[in-house]
Amino acid sequence: MKTLVIAEHDNGALKPETSKTINAAVKMGFPIDVLIAGNNLSAMSSQVASIDGVANVLVADNSVYEHQLAESMSDLVLSISDNYSHIVASATTTGKNFVPRVAALLDVAQISEIIAVVDADTFKRPIYAGNAIATVKSLDSKKVITVRASSFDLQGEQSAVAITSIDTVSDSQLSSFVSVEQTESERPELTAASVVISGGRGMQNGENFALLNGIADKLGAAIGASRAAVDAGFVPNDMQVGQTGKIVAPNLYIAVGISGAIQHLAGMKDSKVIVAINKDPDAPIFQVADYGLVADLFEVLPQLESAL
Amino acid sequence: MKVLVPIKRVIDYNVKARVKSDNSDVDLNNVKMAMNPFCEIAIEEAIRLKEAGTATEVVAVTIGPKASQEQLRTALALGADKAIHIETDEKLESLHIAKLLAKIVEQETPELVILGKQSIDSDNNQTGQMLAALTNRGQGTFASKVVIENGKVNVTREVDGGLQTVALNLPAVVTTDLRLNEPRYASLPNIMKAKRKPLEVIAADSLGVDLTPRMQLISVEEPAKRTAGIIVEDVAQLVEKLKTEAKVI
């Protein structure tokens, strides 16, 4: 019995989700191999080999895997799946895309976005936008799992283990990459930041999001948004925190002009400390906030920036 | 071309789910049910393809108890041409749903299947990908833009860090993100007309799919409650509390 973890990266850098997913895999109790699939991965394989708990690193370095298209990724994972009882990836958009395809090809159910490992077959996962936590036991001989990285810790380091390359390449030809449009940002990544400041509909327009910049700079924070702010076109959609956006659990989450709908809370209510700034004292966000400030955000944000 | 749109009946998205007191599941008795919001977007996209002359027929399908026909009628009122109800009272898993849908794909031979990216009850985000795997089709998940040209479908996908566009050979499977479109409302005349549109009912166990559970639901619990916080007077007090009490800045 061995576990295969598929590494999360963008070809340039390893994502912290990889280490956190390995942390979850360690709790499943079996030796862990990590698969890195991508293009020009050289530095990354040794980085993975030094994550505590990893037994072997498998590297599939080929232009076919550069964009981690689901069809090729699932064929690759399938080709080595015989050796593993557990196949585990992060519940990022990459993992969510190819992992269910792997599960179907293996004819097993998939367990999505686990937040805790009870034992090797049993896991906890949120359902109904995080309003309930289900404990589910897999009855399949192989477990195919995605992990909510924000619920697990970073793994420590070890002296590097062996790295093996996988040379067989399968290109499904069912799909091809056309283009990518990356949102440029100097700030920490939303899902990895220890402080997140998010704006909602109350920000009124995209220009006003600049009011969050100074505060984010001083706190080293990432900037997020509610669905209302994204739908209104204030900010790009990859900034969205919530059931259908990103799930974050920073040390400090500051919600500015966000009412606190069920779908938004699903993405941030596991934050350690929540601060809400809203002029409506009845906004549901105050029911989960550790510190609430009932005030006009346009008066308060400049004050907050200068106070930090 | 023919477009197949699988839809799901779920708890209304504004309703806060309540856990049963015996922790066996979420209580859905007397709870308002509706079409899953992502499925509404899938129907809307299919109707738009039909209005643009790209699609010739839109078929809506659902798997579930008799009451799910209500959501199929909604799909018909929104513009679907016919509906298929795969009837079952069992609570099926994504893999079962994908296998049943694969049978319908075999029967209906749609060139495009459009599904929601996830249902807001089980939050699995699996069915579309599994269906694509079982029918050996390319998949365009989390779509915010769908363009059909030259025998291919170009799908712009919402991914971490931005947008990615992929080209899929047809036939293909697409799953919708929230920003794909703004679903329309059904007008009263269309709701009346929908009652006369064809709705085929098929028993789930007649399709030859093994529906044995692969997962056991051990328990369902309320998430840990957050303790009530305090309202601070002003910014100075907020910063002071964050520094000395919460120690997070």
Side-chain angles (χ1 to χ4, degrees):
Chain A
M1 304 263 269
K2 281 203 290 182
T3 297
L4 178 70
V5 172
I6 296 111
E8 179 74 25
H9 64 85
D10 61 4
N11 293 306
L14 195 67
K15 298 283 183 76
E17 282 90 346
T18 307
S19 177
K20 293 180 175 183
T21 301
I22 292 168
N23 181 262
V26 165
K27 295 180 162 69
M28 296 170 200
F30 304 108
I32 295 164
D33 289 359
V34 179
L35 170 67
I36 321 178
N39 197 19
N40 292 327
L41 298 169
S42 51
M44 237 178 305
S45 42
S46 53
Q47 222 178 320
V48 173
S50 307
I51 298 176
D52 189 22
V54 176
N56 282 294
V57 181
L58 310 171
V59 181
D61 196 339
N62 191 289
S63 57
V64 166
Y65 304 122
E66 180 168 0
H67 304 289
Q68 301 182 46
L69 299 182
E71 297 81 3
S72 314
M73 283 296 287
S74 52
D75 286 351
L76 172 66
V77 174
L78 201 69
S79 71
I80 55 170
S81 61
D82 278 355
N83 304 326
Y84 302 99
S85 60
H86 291 64
I87 296 173
V88 184
S90 319
T92 55
T93 52
T94 309
K96 287 174 177 175
N97 189 34
F98 77 85
V99 175
R101 199 170 171 107
V102 171
L105 295 172
L106 289 169
D107 192 27
V108 303
Q110 185 206 303
I111 302 173
S112 293
E113 286 209 44
I114 63 161
I115 56 167
V117 177
V118 179
D119 60 40
D121 309 324
T122 315
F123 309 93
K124 286 183 189 287
R125 60 176 302 265
I127 52 176
Y128 292 86
N131 285 304
I133 307 297
T135 303
V136 292
K137 183 177 179 170
S138 164
L139 307 173
D140 284 312
S141 56
K142 258 189 215 304
K143 327 290 175 202
V144 176
I145 297 160
T146 61
V147 172
R148 178 175 289 186
S150 63
S151 299
F152 294 89
D153 299 324
L154 287 164
Q155 278 289 96
E157 291 191 9
Q158 66 179 9
S159 48
V161 295
I163 298 169
T164 319
S165 69
I166 298 177
D167 298 325
T168 49
V169 173
S170 64
D171 187 351
S172 74
Q173 310 281 342
L174 291 170
S175 67
S176 55
F177 170 80
V178 177
S179 62
V180 68
E181 203 178 302
Q182 225 122 27
T183 311
E184 298 296 335
S185 175
E186 309 267 294
R187 300 191 189 286
E189 206 161 336
L190 202 48
T191 51
S194 65
V195 180
V196 173
I197 180 163
S198 288
R201 201 194 299 274
M203 298 300 293
Q204 292 180 4
N205 59 47
E207 288 74 60
N208 289 337
F209 264 74
L211 292 169
L212 305 179
N213 286 340
I215 299 168
D217 287 341
K218 290 194 169 162
L219 295 173
I223 299 183
S226 69
R227 184 187 157 198
V230 171
D231 280 352
F234 299 172
V235 290
N237 54 52
D238 59 332
M239 283 170 65
Q240 185 191 325
V241 172
Q243 183 184 18
T244 59
K246 294 198 171 105
I247 313 286
V248 301
N251 287 330
L252 173 61
Y253 187 90
I254 308 175
V256 184
I258 292 176
S259 66
I262 294 173
Q263 292 78 12
H264 186 73
L265 299 182
M268 45 62 82
K269 68 180 174 165
D270 293 326
S271 306
K272 196 163 149 246
V273 174
I274 297 175
V275 171
I277 299 172
N278 203 304
K279 64 181 176 191
D280 174 10
D282 298 323
I285 190 79
F286 287 119
Q287 292 163 20
V288 300
D290 299 280
Y291 302 104
L293 180 55
V294 181
D296 185 344
L297 65 93
F298 295 104
E299 282 170 27
V300 169
L301 288 177
Q303 292 176 22
L304 181 59
E305 184 179 342
S306 56
L308 289 169
Chain B
M1 68 169 154
K2 192 192 263 191
V3 181
L4 182 72
V5 185
I7 59 169
K8 187 177 183 185
R9 174 185 170 88
V10 298
I11 189 169
D12 184 272
Y13 75 97
N14 279 314
V15 176
K16 191 172 181 291
R18 282 184 198 288
V19 173
K20 286 184 186 171
S21 55
D22 65 356
N23 291 115
S24 60
D25 207 341
V26 164
D27 192 354
L28 293 180
N29 280 323
N30 304 315
V31 169
K32 189 181 174 205
M33 302 293 276
M35 194 191 298
N36 181 42
F38 290 97
C39 302
E40 287 183 353
I41 293 166
I43 285 281
E44 176 66 29
E45 194 64 16
I47 303 305
R48 287 186 189 189
L49 287 173
K50 197 179 164 198
E51 287 169 347
T54 313
T56 48
E57 189 185 11
V58 176
V59 181
V61 54
T62 197
I63 301 168
K66 184 136 209 229
S68 319
Q69 288 186 11
E70 210 180 299
Q71 278 63 48
L72 283 177
R73 289 291 172 199
T74 305
L76 292 168
L78 290 168
D81 298 290
K82 73 165 186 174
I84 301 171
H85 177 210
I86 303 177
E87 195 173 357
T88 175
D89 287 326
E90 300 294 318
K91 215 178 139 187
L92 298 180
E93 297 160 13
S94 304
L95 183 65
H96 301 137
I97 301 286
K99 285 182 172 182
L100 291 169
L101 291 176
K103 293 282 180 189
I104 300 302
V105 167
E106 207 177 287
Q107 178 188 314
E108 297 286 325
T109 61
E111 277 179 279
L112 191 61
V113 184
I114 311 180
L115 308 88
K117 79 164 177 181
Q118 77 190 64
S119 62
I120 59 160
D121 52 359
S122 54
D123 279 336
N124 275 320
N125 195 333
Q126 299 173 0
T127 305
Q129 295 89 316
M130 288 181 158
L131 177 64
L134 296 173
T135 54
N136 192 32
R137 293 173 172 214
Q139 64 183 59
T141 53
F142 327 143
S144 61
K145 194 177 169 197
V146 174
V147 179
I148 294 166
E149 54 187 11
N150 307 328
K152 292 204 183 232
V153 50
N154 276 35
V155 180
T156 302
R157 309 178 51 234
E158 300 205 352
V159 295
D160 296 336
L163 298 170
Q164 180 198 56
T165 304
V166 293
L168 311 173
N169 296 342
L170 286 168
V173 175
V174 168
T175 75
T176 64
D177 216 316
L178 280 168
R179 273 160 292 272
L180 181 59
N181 60 47
E182 190 81 37
R184 70 192 68 189
Y185 292 98
S187 66
L188 189 58
N190 285 342
I191 292 170
M192 299 310 288
K193 254 195 278 179
K195 291 183 176 163
R196 293 192 301 274
K197 286 187 179 176
L199 193 159
E200 182 188 354
V201 182
I202 304 172
D205 49 20
S206 73
L207 288 168
V209 174
D210 178 8
L211 300 176
T212 316
R214 306 298 193 85
M215 261 188 270
Q216 186 187 344
L217 184 61
I218 308 248
S219 66
V220 175
E221 285 149 33
E222 296 264 359
K225 288 240 184 332
R226 289 192 76 95
T227 46
I230 57 159
I231 297 292
V232 294
E233 298 295 321
D234 52 27
V235 169
Q237 199 191 354
L238 174 64
V239 172
E240 198 262 340
K241 291 273 185 198
L242 290 176
K243 277 187 177 150
T244 58
E245 201 175 86
K247 297 190 174 70
V248 284
I249 58 172

